[in-house]
Amino acid sequence: MIVDDAVERIRQDSDLVPRVGVVLGSGLGGLADEVESRVEISYTEIPGWPVSTAIGHTGVLVLGTIAGVPVAVLRGRAHLYEGIGADRVAFGVRVLGRLGIGTLVVTNAAGGIDADLSPGQLVLISDHINLQGTSSLVGPNDESLGPRFPDMSDAYDAELRIRARLAAEELGIHVGEGVYAAWLGPQFESPAEIRFMRAAGGDLAGMSTVQEVIAARHMGIRCLGISVVTNMAAGVLPEKIDHEAVLEVGERAAGSLTALLRELVPTLSV
Ligand code: HPA
């Protein structure tokens, strides 16, 4: 299987067995610089790994330790809107699963649907609504990865959210909690689409994360999702959404995300 080819390639550079995996979204790559004794492998060097074209994604796998805990960090991810299949969007997560992670932390930039959220805020994802019209599990099931019909009841682990909340409190970082509604993109949602998401129970809108979490849960990996609210979603405020402004807010909030992850990630190894 192609995932095994990728693992074999990574094993040429590192024999580290990561306990925790972290996916860093657009402009949120700061944690990668905190990894000690690190080995970096560009996605372009790993067979089967999709190379993202999105701005703010440099595309590198970082293996090493944080506070002594072995971790694997994906700096940059592929998105469905790039025209990449859902199974390939989840490829990196499957490789991390094969390398040995038991816990996955997935981060992203998202639009705030819930009017109580504000740009720059961190939000713990409690559940998701997959509106992307596909799944990373479509196609023949690989029984060595997981079952044909995996349960999604506890896709985002409640215990991990408690730990994240405690770590944030210690750092004085305010975190919200909400349901992530995943949109195909690449265009931002229309105001009517955001009203639809709100009516369905969505608090955040984004274009990533769910395919990775579905693949991780398939493999029995525990997941924690953290969104950075970079803007209020379409129609929530009487203003347009500007991608430059989204990136700028993301960059400003990235510091608190990195601080939280630095404290939290090493505690997630058990
Ligand atoms: N919608 C979807 N994805 C996003 C948004 C948004 O408003 N902001 C950042 N990513």
Side-chain angles (χ1 to χ4, degrees):
M1 198 179 54
I2 188 130
V3 171
D4 297 324
D5 295 343
V7 170
E8 201 174 301
R9 168 63 190 84
I10 293 161
R11 287 287 172 239
Q12 287 172 13
D13 284 13
S14 169
D15 55 12
L16 185 106
V17 177
R19 306 286 305 165
V20 185
V22 186
V23 182
L24 300 174
S26 322
L28 306 176
L31 186 77
D33 300 328
E34 309 277 334
V35 177
E36 293 142 33
S37 318
R38 68 174 177 267
V39 169
E40 296 193 3
I41 310 173
S42 167
Y43 295 165
T44 54
E45 291 177 35
I46 307 173
W49 203 296
V51 177
S52 174
T53 56
I55 303 164
H57 292 248
T58 50
V60 61
L61 165 66
V62 182
L63 293 161
T65 59
I66 298 178
V69 172
V71 299
V73 177
L74 304 191
R75 184 173 193 158
R77 60 148 66 88
H79 300 82
L80 272 182
Y81 63 70
E82 295 173 74
I84 295 163
D87 60 330
R88 301 201 62 233
V89 166
F91 184 81
V93 164
R94 290 197 169 115
V95 171
L96 297 194
R98 281 283 208 246
L99 288 174
I101 66 163
T103 304
L104 180 71
V105 182
V106 192
T107 67
N108 59 54
I113 299 174
D114 177 353
D116 289 341
L117 298 174
S118 47
Q121 189 182 344
L122 303 186
V123 182
L124 305 177
I125 300 174
S126 57
D127 202 348
H128 73 220
I129 303 173
N130 179 7
L131 299 172
Q132 295 188 319
T134 188
S135 162
S136 46
L137 307 182
V138 165
N141 186 53
D142 181 341
E143 292 288 330
S144 75
L145 294 174
R148 172 77 289 188
F149 301 108
D151 178 54
M152 289 290 139
S153 301
D154 303 308
Y156 300 83
D157 194 283
E159 150 81 18
L160 297 184
R161 283 207 298 289
I162 292 171
R163 288 200 226 171
R165 189 164 289 287
L166 289 174
E169 268 169 26
E170 268 172 36
L171 293 166
I173 298 170
H174 170 69
V175 291
E177 187 157 319
V179 173
Y180 180 92
W183 185 244
L184 175 62
Q187 76 290 351
F188 289 113
E189 303 78 7
S190 70
E193 286 158 350
I194 290 298
R195 289 195 297 275
F196 170 80
M197 288 178 172
R198 182 187 290 124
D203 301 305
L204 301 151
M207 303 177 196
S208 66
T209 300
V210 296
Q211 303 304 339
E212 295 152 336
V213 167
I214 289 167
R217 292 305 299 145
H218 182 229
M219 296 179 82
I221 296 165
R222 296 186 306 168
C223 295
L224 173 70
I226 307 176
S227 289
V228 173
V229 179
T230 50
N231 57 282
M232 295 314 286
V236 176
L237 298 176
E239 56 193 45
K240 294 191 177 190
I241 302 172
D242 168 36
H243 185 237
E244 291 300 317
V246 166
L247 289 178
E248 208 179 291
V249 175
E251 268 166 39
R252 271 190 276 134
S256 54
L257 177 71
T258 300
L260 175 60
L261 292 175
R262 192 196 299 126
E263 288 303 307
L264 180 63
V265 167
T267 73
L268 303 181
S269 65
V270 279

